[in-house]
Amino acid sequence: MATPLMAARAGVSGPDIDGFRTVQRLAYDCAEAVAAQLRPGVTERQAAAMMRRWLADRGVHDWLHLPFAWFGDRTAFTGFKVPHQFFPTGRRLTEGMPFILDAAPIYQGYTADIGYTSSLGPNRVLDHLLDDLAVHRALIVEAVRAGRTLRQIYLDVDELMARQGYENRHRAYPFGVIAHRVGKISDGTVRPHAFGFGSRALLGLLQDGVRGHREGWSPLWNPRKSSDHPATPGLWAVEPHLGFRGVGAKFEELLVVQEDGDAYWLDDTLPHLRRWAGRGISGSLATGSAPDADPPGETAARAVVATAEAIAKEAV
Amino acid sequence: MTSLYDLPGARRFEVASTDGVRLACVEAGNPAGPTVLLLHGYPDTKEVWADVAARLADRYRIVAYDVRGAGESSRPDATSAYALHRLTDDFEHVLDAVAPDGRVHLVGHDWGSVQSWEFVTTRRTAERVASFTTVSGPSLDHLALVTREGLARPTPKRLSRNVEQLFRSWYVYALHMPVVPELAWRGVLGKHWPAMMARSEKTLGPPEPSLPEDAAFGAKLYRANVRHRMAAPRHDAIAEMPVQLVVPDRDKFLAKRLYDELDRFAPHLTRRQVSGGHWVPRTRPDLMARWIGEFVDQVEQHGTAKPATAAATLASKGRKARRDEANRRRFAGQLAVITGAGSGIGRATALSLAEAGARLVLVDRDAASAERTVDLAQVLGAAEAYAETVDVSDAEAMEQLAAKVRATHGVPDLVVNNAGIGIAGSFLDTSPEEWKRTLDVNLWGVIHGCRLFGAMMVERGQGGHIVNTASAAAFQPSKGLPAYSTSKAAVLMLSECLRAEFASHGIGVTAICPGFVATGITGATRFVGTSAEKERSLREKTTKAYKRRGYGPEKVADAILRAVAENTAVQPVTPEAHAAYAASRFTPRVLRALARVDLPK
């Protein structure tokens, strides 16, 4: 592998990992608590405000971005053309409607970025999507371990989605990212945010971007040439987002990439993992062995997708 | 044609009604099942339901009777004896005889439906009706109220609706003439009516021998009720039970728009749209029996019609919601066979039909992807979905598929011959093997589908629809796509010829010409005359370009369903396909010039 990548600042050490885990759990607790309070008639703006208040009450004062909430077909970003459409609207929740809560709090200098998908009452389509996300989670970590470039992994995920019959909806995100790096933010007294994004966290991302540009890597994970390198050590907030006939589903959680190229999901006790466990779906590829180190492009993709599919079959 | 009396367990009996009228009734079918009461129209007898009843008999208890003046029932002379309250008396007496305690599921066609509206909105009989399926027979009260509204608060829509119905009701005015209708029916009209029906409506089977007398006496139904109800409609004619409305789209006597506000009078309304004429109980018995059976089952199980599916409630209001509703009306319960259903346009079409509640047989060469489509279809609410692994170019396998479909699911109502492969590159680079493979899949696959399933549809004689996926390349020549364009042009012409041949059988044929649509076809296209490496990069580039074009297969599926509903002959889909289609007719030189342009490499 290209050496400059190893030089990329991991920016995290052992105790830091615990800090990230704490804030990620806090954010998911928030999403679960707010989701439990959602009733028919609640608007996206109200749900986003509930999350913000819940986290602020527990000591969160800075954000990578302010909480988002998407209801109904907005979970699949239907008709999204301009970025302002991501912001919460007056859309009201009704029975059976899917929703996504997305929050990125910064707590004691550690950033989390989470996405929580559920529905108000049963929704068969959403259940199916959520089940099928498990295999994406497994595929991503396995492919990172195998040393595949981020661009290749993005395309692997695309292929898997196409086979599953779903649309790739993370391409709607700014820069079409499936993931982005997060890091430590030094504590400051001034915490300005503009257009819903915390400026200090964005600054960190920007610094990473400048540095990466010089060294040949990118803190944004998308299908562009700039992402054609293996994952850089550090933390990545990964958010594969499936869309299917007006229903969207995603999870978003932190992936830890180590200096030696190994990778693991920061936390295996998150709500979607508990949900999969409850439904007998294995959300991890820990049992499968990694494909041979660095086989030529297509075979590797096939191997990874095949492993992922085998797992998916086993699970479903 | 069978008679109601030939059904298993058929029993003829008579019911005495008020004023000495005796009604000829028949009871048949499964005595333990829910009771379905079938009521005929004008100028028919209860035998109009024979084909539908035969399909319902194994699960339901069937009851039918001849309305006074028709068939084997008495024929009172006085016009006043045919007033709606008399008919309600008749219905009540029949109920007392066949279901003294329980409730019945009422099904009415034409005048059988008109009088049923009176029964289901009159208190003494309404509470004894569990559900009501109405075919081609509006309530006179609703008709009067809606017509008056059109006059009192005219809008262009209401006015044109009134005018349309005014013209379609010509026969009602004719029947109000004294003596003439009776003379006509007992003379020339009665003699030629069966032949006229067979020609214009494609009804099957011999006429009832009692037709002239049925028709002559039945005229009194109109005379006794129409003028009176149009002048003084009831305002409280609300049907509280679940109501299923079946609207044939080529009904000569009733405007489809007449029913647009029916949910005001029937709050629990399910609407169905059937391709056919006025006599659908005779011409579409399979579909009618299925819809009646499913509706009865739902009401028996839940006490109400099925609530909208999860997917349906998710639909945002507006165009999408209206489109979904139109698809449900048209395709619920219909059996569709789709080839190439594992990906792209085939899969999208399967899923759109699944949302509409169709029954699906999904065919693909790749078993896993067909299975996956089945999974998704079931989640979306398909009534049934089955995967079949067949290569459409394999004649024998296709024959086995057709036989299997017929044996296990019945004759399909809709066949989408969609499976196809892509091939690009110049004519001189294309080898005979590559030509053969292309034509085998793209043309022979369609021929097999049309041949096997078309024959079934013709034999059944209840209509149907075949959709063949052609391409904009069928009329846009190109030096870069000779084999593909040839195969698709053949599919287009095949569809046009077949459409002409099948028109007389009530079977529609549509050729779909999508254009540049982002599907898996580009990733698997054979680029002849290139190295493996070059081919891969061309595939990637094309796929990327199509993705950037951003026209999804879902929109093609919408176009397919719309084309089936409207029986369109050739349906271009993307704007470029529309443009090429127009150019091929008006300025073919432009297309010839375009054909010489090098495809990007």
Side-chain angles (χ1 to χ4, degrees):
Chain A
M1 288 304 114
T3 38
L5 298 184
M6 295 303 119
R9 156 183 74 106
V12 285
S13 59
D16 288 339
I17 294 291
D18 292 332
F20 280 108
R21 195 175 284 129
T22 309
V23 62
Q24 178 166 281
R25 274 193 196 157
L26 185 70
Y28 264 109
D29 286 348
C30 163
E32 281 191 300
V34 169
Q37 291 173 39
L38 292 181
R39 297 286 175 271
V42 172
T43 66
E44 289 182 356
R45 283 198 200 94
Q46 286 168 341
M50 282 155 82
M51 279 196 283
R52 189 173 175 182
R53 213 172 306 125
W54 195 96
L55 286 165
D57 288 348
R58 284 156 186 80
V60 171
H61 301 297
D62 199 0
W63 309 85
L64 168 59
H65 62 72
L66 292 177
F68 289 111
W70 302 296
F71 295 170
D73 64 358
R74 281 174 50 82
T75 55
F77 302 151
T78 307
F80 279 30
K81 298 258 193 295
V82 258
H84 82 262
Q85 290 175 298
F86 285 99
F87 291 113
T89 65
R91 165 79 60 98
R92 286 180 191 282
L93 203 57
T94 57
E95 201 60 48
M97 210 183 228
F99 61 83
I100 297 181
L101 303 176
D102 186 311
I106 298 172
Y107 180 64
Q108 295 173 348
Y110 300 105
T111 312
D113 196 348
I114 64 114
Y116 177 85
T117 310
S118 187
S119 58
L120 191 69
N123 182 319
R124 285 177 66 197
V125 177
L126 185 72
D127 274 343
H128 213 255
L129 284 160
L130 286 173
D131 289 353
D132 289 334
L133 267 175
V135 66
H136 286 277
R137 189 178 188 269
L139 167 75
I140 289 167
V141 68
E142 198 66 14
V144 168
R145 278 185 199 151
R148 288 175 67 68
T149 72
L150 299 183
R151 178 173 181 273
Q152 284 167 335
I153 300 173
Y154 187 102
L155 298 176
D156 293 346
V157 170
D158 252 16
E159 191 183 329
L160 182 56
M161 282 185 181
R163 281 189 202 199
Q164 288 177 328
Y166 299 143
E167 276 176 86
N168 160 354
R169 291 316 296 154
H170 46 260
R171 61 184 290 205
Y173 290 121
F175 307 103
V177 294
I178 190 175
H180 55 84
R181 272 171 69 98
V182 298
K184 268 177 81 176
I185 309 292
S186 58
D187 228 4
T189 45
V190 192
R191 296 175 289 267
H193 55 81
F195 303 109
F197 283 84
S199 58
R200 278 143 34 79
L202 274 195
L203 195 65
L205 211 50
L206 193 66
Q207 281 166 351
D208 263 3
V210 171
R211 196 192 150 116
H213 186 69
R214 231 183 280 138
E215 294 172 1
W217 55 273
S218 165
L220 301 175
W221 179 341
N222 54 31
R224 300 181 190 179
K225 283 241 170 64
S226 55
S227 281
D228 209 1
H229 60 79
T232 51
L235 282 114
W236 289 85
V238 187
E239 46 183 336
H241 195 143
L242 309 178
F244 182 59
R245 302 187 95 78
V247 180
K250 75 161 184 176
F251 65 79
E252 179 166 17
E253 52 173 310
L254 294 179
L255 179 74
V256 185
V257 180
Q258 292 176 317
E259 305 280 347
D260 60 4
D262 198 11
Y264 60 93
W265 293 103
L266 179 62
D267 194 344
D268 278 333
T269 62
L270 300 177
H272 47 276
L273 288 144
R274 294 201 300 273
R275 182 183 172 282
W276 290 329
R279 293 167 73 89
I281 298 165
S282 117
S284 112
L285 256 184
T287 47
S289 58
D292 299 338
D294 206 16
E298 208 159 289
T299 10
R302 291 248 171 78
V304 172
V305 171
T307 330
E309 272 183 355
I311 298 231
K313 247 176 222 156
E314 211 172 275
V316 180
Chain B
M1 186 184 66
T2 56
S3 157
L4 285 171
Y5 295 122
D6 300 333
L7 294 179
R11 176 177 76 90
R12 186 185 185 285
F13 60 102
E14 284 193 358
V15 170
S17 182
T18 42
D19 62 15
V21 166
R22 298 193 65 80
L23 300 165
C25 307
V26 61
E27 176 189 349
N30 180 356
T35 305
V36 176
L37 199 157
L38 305 166
L39 210 47
H40 71 86
Y42 173 86
D44 303 311
T45 69
K46 59 184 181 304
E47 291 297 335
V48 78
W49 288 110
D51 299 321
V52 173
R55 288 159 173 82
L56 291 170
D58 58 333
R59 295 178 50 215
Y60 307 94
R61 176 176 174 236
I62 308 293
V63 175
Y65 66 91
D66 286 325
V67 175
R68 53 173 65 199
E72 300 163 331
S73 295
S74 337
R75 307 182 197 278
D77 279 319
T79 301
S80 63
Y82 293 84
L84 280 168
H85 70 272
R86 292 289 187 206
L87 301 175
T88 312
D89 290 345
D90 290 353
F91 180 64
E92 205 175 5
H93 280 102
V94 173
L95 285 188
D96 288 342
V98 300
D101 307 314
R103 302 201 297 169
V104 301
H105 296 271
L106 183 57
V107 182
H109 171 247
D110 187 83
W111 248 92
S113 167
V114 175
Q115 53 180 303
S116 293
W117 275 111
E118 179 75 4
F119 309 158
V120 300
T121 55
T122 304
R123 181 175 302 175
R124 59 180 163 136
T125 43
E127 44 200 35
R128 302 175 71 176
V129 177
S131 80
F132 172 38
T133 297
T134 160
V135 189
S136 294
S139 154
L140 292 178
D141 302 300
H142 301 166
L143 188 63
L145 290 174
V146 168
T147 308
R148 282 174 174 209
E149 249 168 52
L151 296 174
R153 289 196 299 281
T155 61
K157 210 168 153 185
R158 285 172 173 168
L159 274 181
S160 67
R161 180 186 62 201
N162 282 4
V163 170
E164 184 186 345
Q165 189 53 48
L166 202 68
F167 278 99
R168 287 185 188 272
S169 298
W170 59 269
Y171 68 100
V172 178
Y173 321 136
L175 286 170
H176 277 81
M177 280 192 286
V179 191
V180 180
E182 278 88 343
L183 285 177
W185 279 115
R186 287 180 179 130
V188 184
L189 188 57
K191 196 171 152 199
H192 293 292
W193 179 256
M196 284 162 60
M197 279 300 94
R199 206 167 42 240
S200 69
E201 298 278 335
K202 311 272 184 290
T203 51
L204 309 165
E208 289 301 305
S210 59
L211 171 76
E213 291 306 307
D214 298 341
F217 278 95
K220 295 183 200 291
L221 288 169
Y222 292 85
R223 293 172 190 162
N225 297 299
V226 174
R227 269 178 306 173
H228 170 68
R229 280 302 162 103
M230 293 308 279
R234 286 169 53 204
H235 288 267
D236 60 345
I238 308 292
E240 299 292 348
M241 72 286 298
V243 175
Q244 175 173 238
L245 167 71
V246 177
V247 184
D249 58 8
R250 290 192 300 278
D251 196 322
K252 288 194 179 69
F253 308 112
L254 293 161
K256 276 186 279 183
R257 293 183 287 170
L258 217 52
Y259 305 106
D260 284 350
E261 295 167 58
L262 190 60
D263 49 349
R264 274 167 45 196
F265 306 108
H268 308 288
L269 181 70
T270 306
R271 184 167 172 162
R272 300 273 176 246
Q273 181 88 33
V274 53
S275 154
H278 183 73
W279 270 273
V280 283
R282 272 285 187 226
T283 56
R284 304 282 182 266
D286 277 356
L287 193 58
M288 289 301 302
R290 177 164 290 278
W291 280 345
I292 293 169
E294 281 177 1
F295 194 65
V296 168
D297 290 348
Q298 278 166 23
V299 174
E300 285 287 317
Q301 257 173 33
H302 308 291
T304 167
K306 192 163 80 178
T309 59
T313 53
L314 290 175
S316 47
K317 285 206 176 67
R319 207 162 57 175
K320 183 178 181 309
R322 281 201 301 279
R323 183 200 64 198
D324 288 349
E325 171 59 21
N327 287 346
R328 268 195 298 281
R329 287 176 182 177
R330 182 68 168 74
F331 296 105
Q334 299 226 4
L335 179 65
V337 177
I338 304 173
T339 67
S343 61
I345 293 171
R347 179 179 268 181
T349 307
L351 298 181
S352 288
L353 284 168
E355 276 182 338
R359 299 180 297 141
L360 301 168
V361 177
L362 304 176
V363 183
D364 202 280
R365 197 170 41 159
D366 180 36
S369 49
E371 286 288 352
R372 179 72 194 173
T373 310
V374 165
D375 273 1
L376 297 173
Q378 278 165 344
V379 170
L380 288 176
E384 298 161 31
Y386 307 92
E388 294 289 345
T389 315
V390 174
D391 183 342
V392 293
S393 64
D394 183 342
E396 207 173 303
M398 284 295 279
E399 263 169 43
Q400 283 167 2
L401 170 75
K404 187 175 170 189
V405 167
R406 172 162 219 174
T408 41
H409 313 298
V411 178
D413 303 292
L414 171 64
V415 174
V416 184
N417 290 304
N418 165 74
I421 53 174
I423 177 164
S426 78
F427 174 76
L428 291 180
D429 287 335
T430 312
S431 70
E433 289 72 38
E434 282 156 342
W435 270 101
K436 186 164 183 313
R437 180 72 193 140
T438 309
L439 293 179
D440 274 354
V441 176
N442 288 4
L443 178 57
W444 274 103
V446 175
I447 293 175
H448 292 319
C450 292
R451 188 169 61 86
L452 296 162
F453 292 111
M456 266 186 224
M457 289 178 179
V458 169
E459 192 200 323
R460 179 175 69 158
Q462 296 184 32
H465 204 102
I466 297 177
V467 176
N468 295 330
T469 306
S471 166
F475 35 77
Q476 165 69 69
S478 159
K479 68 175 183 181
L481 294 165
Y484 183 75
S485 304
T486 304
S487 69
K488 290 302 188 181
V491 169
L492 180 61
M493 186 47 84
L494 167 68
S495 309
E496 294 268 30
C497 295
L498 206 57
R499 183 179 171 86
E501 180 173 342
F502 281 0
S504 61
H505 299 284
I507 300 168
V509 181
T510 298
I512 293 284
C513 305
F516 297 111
V517 178
T519 70
I521 196 169
T522 48
T525 292
R526 172 88 187 93
F527 288 84
V528 295
T530 56
S531 65
E533 184 64 25
K534 180 74 183 156
E535 182 171 56
R536 209 182 61 207
S537 102
L538 276 171
R539 281 177 180 170
E540 269 175 26
K541 269 188 198 157
T542 325
T543 307
K544 224 175 175 180
Y546 274 55
K547 247 187 206 165
R548 216 174 304 126
R549 167 74 185 83
Y551 204 97
E554 293 77 19
K555 291 195 204 166
V556 184
D558 284 349
I560 289 179
L561 266 50
R562 212 170 41 237
V564 173
E566 291 165 13
N567 193 14
T568 317
V570 179
Q571 179 65 64
V573 183
T574 60
E576 62 268 18
H578 277 285
Y581 188 51
S584 73
R585 294 194 287 176
F586 302 117
T587 57
R589 281 181 183 206
V590 172
L591 296 190
R592 285 185 201 127
L594 277 173
R596 299 183 178 200
V597 174
D598 278 316
L599 292 182
K601 293 246 154 125

